[in-house]
Amino acid sequence: MKIVEVTALSKTFQKNSVLSDINFSLEEGTFMALLGKNGSGKSTVLNILMGNEKLDSGECFLFGKSIKDDPAKLKNLIGHVSENVQFDYPVPVETFLKGYGKLFNEFDYDFIEKTAKTLKIPLNKQFSGYSRGQKMQIVLLAALAHKPKLLLIDEVTSVLDAFSRKFFMSLLKEFTQKGGSVLITTNIVNEVQYYCNSVVFLDKKKVKFQTKISDIPSTFQKIRIKDPNHSVLKEPGVIWVGINSDGTQSYIAPEEVYAKHDNLEKDMRAVTLEDLYIYHSQDSDK
C-alpha cells in the first residue's frame, strides 16, 4: 500500500519556484530518506504533506486520501518532528505530555518515561530548560508515543549527539519493521544508509532520482584511478568521490560505463549513499 503518493507537485513562494513537478511515493513499512542540497525544497515537501503549506498544483495523497480534503482527520495517523515543533508551556514536560496525549486515540506515556530514563533525560523541567538535542529527543518520543502510521521527520538528526542519532535511528527502523513508515530529511547521509530502504534526491526543484538502497550496487560501480588521463574519466557520468591513502582517486561510474572498459581497478568498498549523494550533487553542477 502506498502511504504517501506525490504527483506533479509544484510550489512557488512570492513568484519564486521552489518545487516543480515533484513525483515520488512511499510504501507501507518503508524508511525513506529525502535528500538534497540546502534550499532544495525538502522541508517544503514535508510541510505540504502536513498541511502547513498549500501546494500550488499537483496532488498529494496520504493513505489514499487527498490532503486537499481535510488533513486534520489524519492527525492520529501522522507524527511530525522538526526544530519548529515546540512544547514550550509553563509546566513540566511530563505534565504537558500527559495532557497532550489526550489529543490522540492512543498515547503511550509509559514508553516516553521508560525511554527518557534510558537517555538520561529528566521530564520534570519546562521545555525551555532543555538543550536543543534533548528537545528534539523529547519531540521524537512524543511522536512515536501516539503510535502513528507515518512519521515525517525534518532535519533533526544534526542536533543529536552520535549516541542519540544511532539510538533513534534504531527506534525508527524498529518502527518500520512493525509496519510504520518514515520519511526523513537529513544531511547526515552516511548515518541513514544503514537504516533506510529507499532514497529520493531533490535537485533543481525536481526529483533527480528515487531508488531502493538495495539497487545501488547494480546501478553504479566504484573504481580506483591512478592515471589522471585515463580514458574512462572522459565518459559522461563518471564523478570523483574521494582520494585514497595509496594515491589513487575514487570515482563512481554508471554500470554501463564500467562495462565498456577493460582492466579497471574496482574499488572493493561498496558504493555508499554518501557516494551517491556526492555523485548526484557534482553531476548537477555540470
Side-chain angles (χ1 to χ4, degrees), residues 208-263:
K208 188 161 189 179
F209 73 92
Q210 177 175 357
T211 185
K212 294 179 180 178
I213 298 296
S214 59
D215 288 342
I216 293 175
S218 62
T219 309
F220 296 94
Q221 293 287 348
K222 186 185 289 187
I223 55 177
R224 290 187 175 218
I225 301 293
K226 196 165 189 177
D227 178 6
N229 298 312
H230 196 291
S231 60
V232 74
L233 301 182
K234 298 177 183 178
E235 294 276 9
V238 176
I239 303 293
W240 178 90
V241 292
I243 187 169
N244 305 302
S245 59
D246 62 356
T248 60
Q249 305 275 343
S250 283
Y251 293 81
I252 300 295
E255 176 62 37
E256 60 271 20
V257 171
Y258 176 79
K260 286 169 55 178
H261 292 262
D262 296 327
N263 301 319

Side-chain angles (χ1 to χ4, degrees), residues 35 90 104 130 132 155 169 191 200 208 230 255 276:
L35 306 179
F104 302 96
Y130 296 95
R132 289 177 67 206
E155 298 282 9
M169 284 296 171
E191 295 213 356
V200 173
K208 188 161 189 179
H230 196 291
E255 176 62 37
L276 203 61

Side-chain angles (χ1 to χ4, degrees), residues 126-230:
Q126 291 186 24
F127 194 69
S128 59
Y130 296 95
S131 68
R132 289 177 67 206
Q134 288 175 321
K135 287 178 179 178
M136 287 304 98
Q137 290 175 69
I138 291 169
V139 173
L140 278 161
L141 291 178
L144 284 164
H146 77 76
K147 301 180 180 179
K149 297 295 184 183
L150 169 66
L151 275 172
L152 303 175
I153 303 175
D154 189 16
E155 298 282 9
V156 301
T157 53
S158 61
V159 304
L160 303 180
D161 60 38
F163 170 79
S164 299
R165 281 201 298 271
K166 290 187 177 181
F167 183 89
F168 277 100
M169 284 296 171
S170 297
L171 274 184
L172 295 175
K173 185 66 174 179
E174 182 180 342
F175 171 75
T176 60
Q177 289 171 340
K178 292 179 179 178
S181 304
V182 173
L183 179 58
I184 184 171
T185 71
T186 181
N187 284 325
I188 314 293
V189 181
N190 59 330
E191 295 213 356
V192 299
Q193 162 154 3
Y194 304 105
Y195 301 93
C196 65
N197 310 105
S198 62
V199 58
V200 173
F201 189 92
L202 294 181
D203 181 63
K204 296 179 180 177
K205 310 173 189 176
K206 296 181 179 291
V207 172
K208 188 161 189 179
F209 73 92
Q210 177 175 357
T211 185
K212 294 179 180 178
I213 298 296
S214 59
D215 288 342
I216 293 175
S218 62
T219 309
F220 296 94
Q221 293 287 348
K222 186 185 289 187
I223 55 177
R224 290 187 175 218
I225 301 293
K226 196 165 189 177
D227 178 6
N229 298 312
H230 196 291

Side-chain angles (χ1 to χ4, degrees), residues 86-93 121-135 138:
Q86 297 290 324
F87 294 157
D88 213 357
Y89 293 83
V91 294
V93 161
I121 300 176
L123 299 176
N124 59 355
K125 298 190 294 183
Q126 291 186 24
F127 194 69
S128 59
Y130 296 95
S131 68
R132 289 177 67 206
Q134 288 175 321
K135 287 178 179 178
I138 291 169

